[in-house]
Amino acid sequence: MNNKTYRQVSQIHNAPSPHWVGDGFHVNPMFNHMVADKRTDPFLMLDYASPQYFAPNQAEPRGVGQHPHKGFETVTIAYMGEVTHRDSSGGGGTIGTGDVQWMTAGNGVIHEEFHSKTFSETGGDFEMVQLWINLPTKDKGTSAKYQHLANADIPVVALQNDTHENVGKARLIAGEFTQQTQQTQAKTTQGLGTTFTPINLWDIQLNAHAQVELAIPRTHNLLVLVRQGSVGINQVQYQAHACELVCFETEKGSQGVDYVRFITADNSVELLLMSGVPLNEPIVGYGPFVMNTEQEIHQAIMDFNAGKFGQVA
């Protein structure tokens, strides 16, 4: 007897019109804490730079110059192309295909992001996600730090259906992934990134003509970005397409897990799954600062102007 409960879709959102961040990132702003029309807590913002070709550039690399952040974390995933990062905590490096840079702004940091020199000179296809993750009140004053998550180090698990067939794979950037089929015991794999609150951040790739069920804690808010292809959800009652964001209902206070069933047709599919326990704390945002009160925003501005965020070496 199947006693599983399935997480219901609340809405599927088309990508808003893209805009430029600096001169290097042409992004669709999929959601933003300043609008707050979607259930995204603890995630604040998602910018998706869908695949785009950049011609070779012999001038200075495109990107975004030095700017501050405070009170949250930025996660940048490079799917195609390369991004070079430097920040005032001493963190930095270049991420290529599949790599992730995870910057904790905490009590204040200054950073810059550009196309790498090599990518800028050779040109090519570029695809990127940048996700902002809120820090709980008790951790907003933590020291800034930087995690470089190399593609080769990120755990990958094979996805299986109930007949034990491999139907795709999940790349575990962060969080815990538990899989169980009718023929196997439950097995949990830990993602690579360290987080301040319970968060799952998984890259999902599904083969054509595949079907898989993923377990999501009921205490988590759940969002899915469709990067490529089209996918049916649950009993194919919902169909989501490339560059769309799927938002799910949440059962407040419930324990245990819900399931989401993904079904593909003649095409393979690539998804970014984001889930996390909501902080349920006040959010006051001002540009690159996200705090809990207006007073804290004013203090962040004063600290930045006083040079307390350090300097990019």
Side-chain angles (χ1 to χ4, degrees), residues 106-183:
N107 63 359
V109 74
I110 298 172
H111 81 140
E112 63 182 27
E113 294 173 294
F114 290 94
H115 294 180
S116 74
K117 189 173 186 298
T118 298
F119 177 79
S120 185
E121 291 176 349
T122 60
D125 292 323
F126 188 88
E127 181 186 6
M128 182 205 71
V129 157
Q130 184 165 98
L131 177 68
W132 289 13
I133 303 173
N134 203 6
L135 286 170
T137 300
K138 66 182 181 64
D139 294 313
K140 285 188 179 292
T142 194
S143 297
K145 70 173 185 178
Y146 177 83
Q147 299 177 68
H148 177 91
L149 309 181
N151 183 40
D153 297 330
I154 298 175
V156 177
V157 297
L159 297 177
Q160 296 180 335
N161 59 21
D162 280 338
T163 60
H164 215 258
E165 298 173 314
N166 287 347
V167 295
K169 59 185 178 180
R171 201 172 69 114
L172 311 182
I173 297 170
E176 287 187 348
F177 180 91
T178 300
Q179 182 171 229
Q180 181 177 14
T181 69
Q182 293 177 351
Q183 301 176 1

Side-chain angles (χ1 to χ4, degrees), residues 55-288:
N57 173 31
Q58 300 304 317
E60 290 297 316
R62 294 171 174 262
V64 183
Q66 295 184 18
H67 59 282
H69 289 299
K70 183 174 183 176
F72 60 98
E73 302 184 282
T74 67
V75 179
T76 305
I77 310 171
Y79 292 108
M80 293 188 289
E82 293 183 346
V83 177
T84 295
H85 164 103
R86 294 192 305 161
D87 68 52
S88 57
S89 77
T94 296
I95 57 172
T97 301
D99 295 341
V100 178
Q101 61 183 23
W102 194 303
M103 185 187 74
T104 303
N107 63 359
V109 74
I110 298 172
H111 81 140
E112 63 182 27
E113 294 173 294
F114 290 94
H115 294 180
S116 74
K117 189 173 186 298
T118 298
F119 177 79
S120 185
E121 291 176 349
T122 60
D125 292 323
F126 188 88
E127 181 186 6
M128 182 205 71
V129 157
Q130 184 165 98
L131 177 68
W132 289 13
I133 303 173
N134 203 6
L135 286 170
T137 300
K138 66 182 181 64
D139 294 313
K140 285 188 179 292
T142 194
S143 297
K145 70 173 185 178
Y146 177 83
Q147 299 177 68
H148 177 91
L149 309 181
N151 183 40
D153 297 330
I154 298 175
V156 177
V157 297
L159 297 177
Q160 296 180 335
N161 59 21
D162 280 338
T163 60
H164 215 258
E165 298 173 314
N166 287 347
V167 295
K169 59 185 178 180
R171 201 172 69 114
L172 311 182
I173 297 170
E176 287 187 348
F177 180 91
T178 300
Q179 182 171 229
Q180 181 177 14
T181 69
Q182 293 177 351
Q183 301 176 1
T184 62
Q185 293 184 337
K187 180 180 178 182
T188 299
T189 306
Q190 185 68 44
L192 183 60
T194 60
T195 67
F196 285 82
T197 57
I199 289 168
N200 292 324
L201 191 58
W202 307 336
D203 274 323
I204 306 293
Q205 296 183 8
L206 296 176
N207 303 333
H209 305 291
Q211 183 172 158
V212 70
E213 292 183 352
L214 303 181
I216 307 296
R218 287 180 185 153
T219 54
H220 284 210
N221 281 338
L222 173 63
L223 307 158
V224 172
L225 172 69
V226 182
R227 291 180 39 240
Q228 295 182 28
S230 299
V231 64
I233 301 170
N234 294 337
Q235 299 294 343
V236 203
Q237 62 190 115
Y238 295 95
Q239 190 81 14
H241 308 282
C243 223
E244 291 184 340
L245 180 76
V246 186
C247 296
F248 291 80
E249 300 287 354
T250 300
E251 296 182 27
K252 294 183 179 179
S254 299
Q255 299 299 315
V257 298
D258 287 327
Y259 290 83
V260 178
R261 181 185 290 122
F262 295 106
I263 304 168
T264 63
D266 295 334
N267 59 282
S268 59
V269 172
E270 297 191 18
L271 313 170
L272 176 62
L273 185 147
M274 302 154 277
S275 77
V277 174
L279 302 182
N280 294 321
E281 295 177 348
I283 294 175
V284 179
Y286 180 80

Side-chain angles (χ1 to χ4, degrees), residues 15-21 25-29 48-50 52:
S17 299
H19 66 262
W20 284 97
V21 177
F25 309 108
H26 195 223
V27 302
N28 298 104
Y48 176 45
S50 58
Q52 179 175 350

Side-chain angles (χ1 to χ4, degrees), residues 27-61:
V27 302
N28 298 104
M30 304 304 296
F31 61 81
N32 190 305
H33 59 287
M34 300 301 289
V35 179
D37 61 336
K38 305 174 181 70
R39 194 178 291 111
T40 67
D41 187 7
F43 307 108
L44 295 168
M45 187 197 79
L46 176 66
D47 279 349
Y48 176 45
S50 58
Q52 179 175 350
Y53 177 77
F54 283 87
N57 173 31
Q58 300 304 317
E60 290 297 316

